Amino acid sequence: MNKTLQFNGGIGLRQWIFIVGAFGMMTVAVIAHYLMVVGNTANLGQYGALNAELWYQVVVAGMALIYLIALKSIHPLKYRLFDKGGSSNVYPAPVLALGISGNQSWRVVGRVSLIGCGLIAAFYAYVSIWHRVIPPLEQIIPAIGVGALLAGVSAFAVTAITRFGIIVTLYDTVPPRVIYLLTAILYAVPQYYLFPGGFVRAVIAGVMGWLLAKSIFETRGAAWAWSIQFVYDWVVYAALLAVMGI
């Protein structure tokens, strides 16, 4: 096979394999979540559903690890550009639509984004998961701890597959805005189908995917991307588990 075969935009065959592979893994993730969790919730019970969700996260994290190992083997130089936490002292390119003026470093933008995404997740959870009825405190407190575990693994897998891998693969090949858009789509589409999904969550996911890919690209690291994703997922998982009475 000719490994130098080129496609549109200068994207090589091996790069296309990683891009298609990322979309394929997210498709598998959606199907696996339905088969392992959503489709069996009625038969599993609350603790059975929690156990299934834990195993689902292990499976997806395993796929992410394999993806990263392959990525490092094929693109070692570009991989090393982004495999650190990143520099928070970098100033982002302005994005007025998101309130990013370019006058504050990622240290400030990252903190504001973390708080903002956490609040958005809380509002989404209150409206879409809790249906404007707050569960008792004795249900919320245990859910916070278990939710943190699920969110940590989920944030790793999502960051690795839908952002880090795409950025490493396409760095110096296509303009950053194309990479950001691709990562946004790659994260948003599965979120539409994953429970609790829908259009609103897909839109939130698209904006987050775009912003967090930008953070990785500009800071040369995934610390902010993982942290912001973790907080968002933590709130959503804690809300779900609280409803389930875990």
Side-chain angles (χ1 to χ4, degrees), residues 68-216:
L68 290 178
I69 292 171
L71 187 70
K72 188 174 183 179
S73 300
I74 301 300
H75 301 291
L77 297 179
K78 293 196 293 182
Y79 188 96
R80 286 198 292 270
L81 287 175
F82 298 95
D83 68 351
K84 305 296 189 299
S87 174
S88 296
N89 295 322
V90 174
Y91 284 71
V95 184
L96 298 182
L98 296 179
I100 301 176
S101 65
N103 297 322
Q104 302 289 342
S105 69
W106 266 105
R107 189 179 308 279
V108 176
V109 175
R111 291 172 179 172
V112 172
S113 299
L114 189 149
I115 295 171
C117 288
L119 291 175
I120 290 172
F123 180 76
Y124 171 80
Y126 175 70
V127 173
S128 300
I129 299 175
W130 289 352
H131 302 291
R132 297 181 175 84
V133 178
I134 300 177
L137 190 60
E138 56 267 25
Q139 290 182 211
I140 296 177
I141 292 177
I144 291 175
V146 181
L149 174 62
L150 291 172
V153 180
S154 174
F156 162 74
V158 167
T159 301
I161 297 173
T162 69
R163 292 163 203 143
F164 186 87
I166 299 299
I167 290 171
V168 170
T169 298
L170 296 179
Y171 178 71
D172 274 351
T173 301
V174 298
R177 63 179 180 275
V178 176
I179 298 176
Y180 303 160
L181 179 61
L182 183 60
T183 58
I185 294 172
L186 182 55
Y187 181 49
V189 173
Q191 292 299 312
Y192 180 86
Y193 294 99
L194 287 172
F195 178 83
F199 179 76
V200 174
R201 189 173 183 185
V203 171
I204 295 173
V207 175
M208 278 185 61
W210 193 94
L211 175 64
L212 301 191
K214 177 180 173 68
S215 77
I216 295 175

Side-chain angles (χ1 to χ4, degrees), residues 4 9 36 50-51 60 104 115-116 141-142 153 201 203 206 225 243 246:
T4 63
M36 296 175 67
L50 175 60
N51 185 60
V60 177
Q104 302 289 342
I115 295 171
I141 292 177
V153 180
R201 189 173 183 185
V203 171
V243 169
I246 299 300

